[in-house]
Structures are given as C-alpha cells and as structure tokens.
C-alpha cells in the first residue's frame, strides 16, 4: 500500500511538472500562430518524420540484440522487436509507474532469460545510447561555438557535454578505486556494469556496429526534427538540426516528467531558438515529435493486446521484480559468454 502511494505521488509530481512547463512555455507564445503551424504542417514531411522515427525501432532492436549476444543470450530478432514495441507502449502512453524498461526485463524473464542478464542488457542498451548521444555532442560543440553567439547557451550545452564525458570516464575506471571501496555492495554493482560497458567499447567483436547504431539512431531523430521543421516552415539547416537536437534528446531523457513532455518542449524551444527558429515553430516541432512517439506507442499497444504474456502480467510484480534485481549482482563479472543461453521466439 505504501509503495503504491509513493508511486502515485511520484507520478503526480511528474504530471504536474509536465503541465507546468508546457503552461509556462505557452504563456509567452502566440497560440493562434502555434495552432496554425500544427494544423498546416506539410503532410509529406510529417509522414517522412513518422517513417524515420519508426525505422529507429529496427536499429534499436539490432543494437539491443548485439548487447544481449555479448551477454551470452540469444534473442530472436522478431521477438526482441516485439518486446521493444511493447515497452514503447508503456513508456509513451500508459500513465503507469512501471516504465518500459521494467516491462522489457519482465518480458525477457518470461522467455527464460535470467534476471541478471535481463537487467544488464537493458541497462547497457540505455547507456550505449547515452554514449552515442554524448559523442555527437562532443563532435557538434566546436561547430556550435562557431555558429552561435549566445555564450550562456554554449556554456550550458558545453557543461552538459563535459558532465556526460566525465560520468562515462568515471564509470569505466571505477575498478581503479581502492579495493576496499570496490568491495562495497553499493559500488561493486557499478564496477561490474562499468566492466561490461568497457568490454562493449573495446573488446566486443561487433563494437563498430554497436556504437555505429547508437550514433545513427540520434542522427535519425535529428533528421526527423529537420523534416518537421521544414513541414512547419521553419528555417533550420540539417547541420543545425544535427548539433542542436542531441542536447534536446539528452534533457528529455531525464526522468522528471511524463514521457519527457514539457522538458522536451522547453529544450526544443531553447535549442532551436539558437538557430533563429521562432518559439511557435520550435514548439510545433516538439509537439509533432511527441505525437509521432504516441502513434508508435499505440502500435506497440496493439502488439501488447495480442501478446500471450498479457494474461500473466502484473504491474506490481513487474516493478517489484525489476527493483529487486536492479543491482544485478548475481554474477561475478561481465564478459562474453557469461550469461545464460536462452532462445527466444516470437
């Protein structure tokens, strides 16, 4: 009961934050012009953005499959894609305290994958995406400094980039800490996770495809935003989209709102404003991008309705299982072949 109350409070806080940020952004805008941009978006550009974002699911699934393979888990491609789509339904549409990642872990467990491998695979997938995002921000920062005169914005984006690089380096070198610290349970799990990430970065035979896909996914998001910007008549170049959208994605990933709503809109207005895009057009791009995410989430919902696991699903059980196993300390370390072999079929 107490756990449900905490989850309800957390969800309410996130919902209020999303509403408050959206209301704050809309307060200084011409709402009639915003409505005009949304209703007059070029259908061809909207469909192109929809196709681009949907195509990401195949690349995402390929990346996740490679990571699971590194853990010794054989995951059928179609089964993985189905699980991924279902997780997007939970992430984007349902007002649930159980995120899509917890559902991904639960569905993997239903297919015989042990909890430690399920947790490691999903966490490594998330962190790989983060590394790709940080890499794009590092590459885009010099261009941003040449094209943008707003020093405060450059400092803010630069600080985000430096923090991301520093956090990654700390994670990868945690095993250099004194052994007494490494032995502490709260640190040991992060040390092992850092070892997995380091293995994927430096030793995994498919590391090029793995991190190439991480970069590609974010570039596709930038391309979709560029298409939407063109669709509402905004003057945004492909290069500007490539360097300004990654910070938006990074800020949206911070779990302080409902599916990123509000945070994404604020970040989009701020970042595209650096390229001279009016706030109404920038907000239109963000809202249309959110609508596309919801549409893809609904497609995942259709898959979930037809899923054989739906009858045995319990939100409380999935959340509890994910939380109980989040520390993933059941195995002594990471490396190839250390996960249990589990064949999954759609």
């Amino acid at each position: 009961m107490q756990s449900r109350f905490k989850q309800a409070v957390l969800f309410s806080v996130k919902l209020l934050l999303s509403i408050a940020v959206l209301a704050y952004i809309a307060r200084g805008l011409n709402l009639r012009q915003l409505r005009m941009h949304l209703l007059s978006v070029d259908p061809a550009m909207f469909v192109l953005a929809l196709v681009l974002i949907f195509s990401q699911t195949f690349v995402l699934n390929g990346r996740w499959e490679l990571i699971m393979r590194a853990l010794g888990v054989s995951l059928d491609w179609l089964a993985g894609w189905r699980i991924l789509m279902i997780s997007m339904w939970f992430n984007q549409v349902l007002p649930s305290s159980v995120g899509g990642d917890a559902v991904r872990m639960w569905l993997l467990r239903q297919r015989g994958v042990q909890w430690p491998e399920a947790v490691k695979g999903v966490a490594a997938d998330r962190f790989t995406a983060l590394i790709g995002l940080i890499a794009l921000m590092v590459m885009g920062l010099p261009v941003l400094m040449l094209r943008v005169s707003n020093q405060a914005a450059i400092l803010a984006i630069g600080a985000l980039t430096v923090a991301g690089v520093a956090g990654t380096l700390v994670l990868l070198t945690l095993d250099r800490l004194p052994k007494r610290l490494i032995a502490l349970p709260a640190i040991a799990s992060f040390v092992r996770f850092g070892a997995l990430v380091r293995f994927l970065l430096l030793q995994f035979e498919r590391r090029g495809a793995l991190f190439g896909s991480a970069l590609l996914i974010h570039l596709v998001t930038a391309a979709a935003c560029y298409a939407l910007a063109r669709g509402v008549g905004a003057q945004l170049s492909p290069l500007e989209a490539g360097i300004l959208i990654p910070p938006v994605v990074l800020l949206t990933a911070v779990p302080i709102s409902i599916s990123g709503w509000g945070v994404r809109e604020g970040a989009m207005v701020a970042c595209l404003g650096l390229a001279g895009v009016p706030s109404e057009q920038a907000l239109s791009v963000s809202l249309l991008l959110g609508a596309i995410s919801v549409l893809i989430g609904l497609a995942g919902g259709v898959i979930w309705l037809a899923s054989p696991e739906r009858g045995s699903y319990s939100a409380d059980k999935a959340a509890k299982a994910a939380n109980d196993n989040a520390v993933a300390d059941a195995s002594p370390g990471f490396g190839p072949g250390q996960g249990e072999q589990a064949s999954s079929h759609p």
Side-chain angles (χ1 to χ4, degrees):
M1 181 68 72
Q2 188 177 9
S3 175
R4 286 190 177 184
F5 176 75
K6 288 181 179 179
Q7 291 172 358
V9 170
L10 180 60
F11 175 79
S12 299
V13 170
K14 289 183 175 182
L15 179 61
L16 288 173
L17 179 62
S18 291
I19 294 173
V21 174
L22 287 170
Y24 178 80
I25 297 170
R27 186 181 61 175
L29 300 183
N30 185 331
L31 297 183
R32 180 176 296 179
Q33 194 172 20
L34 173 65
R35 180 174 176 270
M36 181 188 70
H37 288 313
L38 290 172
L39 295 178
S40 63
V41 60
D42 185 342
M45 291 293 102
F46 182 81
V47 171
L48 174 59
L50 176 61
V51 170
L52 286 170
I53 297 298
F54 183 70
S55 70
Q56 279 184 324
T57 64
F58 304 120
V59 184
L60 280 165
N61 186 52
R63 184 185 70 199
W64 186 33
E65 185 185 11
L66 286 175
I67 291 172
M68 296 307 294
R69 188 184 303 172
L71 290 169
V73 177
S74 177
L75 181 64
D76 181 85
W77 192 92
L78 186 56
W81 182 79
R82 189 176 66 83
I83 292 172
L84 185 67
M85 290 295 293
I86 291 172
S87 75
M88 291 182 175
W89 159 251
F90 280 85
N91 267 339
Q92 290 293 336
V93 180
L94 290 185
S96 169
S97 59
V98 181
D101 286 346
V103 174
R104 266 207 282 176
M105 297 172 197
W106 183 82
L107 287 171
L108 282 175
R109 186 68 190 98
Q110 300 308 298
R111 293 181 170 274
V113 179
Q114 295 300 305
W115 274 114
E117 281 66 48
V119 174
K120 294 169 192 174
V122 172
D125 182 51
R126 284 290 190 178
F127 200 81
T128 302
L130 178 62
I131 291 176
L133 194 59
I134 293 169
L136 285 177
M137 290 176 66
V138 169
M139 291 185 284
L141 192 58
V143 181
L144 185 71
M145 295 173 66
L146 292 174
R147 297 176 71 95
V148 174
S149 59
N150 189 324
Q151 294 300 313
I154 292 175
L155 285 174
I157 294 175
L160 276 175
T161 306
V162 170
V165 172
T168 301
L169 292 176
V170 168
L171 180 69
L172 296 179
T173 57
L174 278 176
D175 56 357
R176 303 291 181 87
L177 292 173
K179 292 184 178 180
R180 288 181 302 174
L181 289 176
I182 293 176
L184 295 174
I187 297 179
S189 58
F190 289 101
V191 173
R192 290 193 294 273
F193 182 67
L196 169 61
V197 175
R198 192 168 61 230
F199 166 75
L200 293 172
L201 274 171
L202 303 177
Q203 295 175 282
F204 183 43
E205 61 180 6
R206 301 296 302 278
R207 58 187 179 275
L210 182 64
F211 290 96
S213 65
L215 295 174
L216 177 61
I217 285 167
H218 298 307
L219 290 174
V220 170
T221 301
C225 290
Y226 170 72
L228 291 173
R230 290 292 302 271
V232 299
Q235 298 299 313
L236 181 72
S237 71
L239 179 60
E240 289 168 337
I243 63 176
L244 293 173
I245 296 303
V248 175
V249 176
L250 180 60
L251 291 171
T252 303
V254 180
I256 59 174
S257 64
I258 301 299
S259 298
W261 286 96
V263 175
R264 178 184 58 239
E265 283 65 42
M268 190 75 77
V269 169
C271 288
L272 294 193
L274 298 176
V277 177
S279 297
E280 291 81 5
Q281 290 180 328
L283 182 56
S284 298
V285 170
S286 186
L287 293 174
L288 291 168
L289 183 64
I292 288 173
S293 297
V294 170
L295 289 175
I296 294 175
L298 288 171
V302 173
I303 295 173
W304 172 242
L305 290 175
S307 172
E309 299 94 345
R310 187 168 66 92
S312 60
Y313 173 76
S314 166
D316 289 341
K317 288 181 180 178
K320 184 178 185 303
N323 290 332
D324 289 347
N325 292 277
V327 176
D329 56 357
S331 65
F334 292 110
Q338 288 185 307
E340 175 185 324
Q341 290 288 344
S343 178
S344 297
H345 300 284

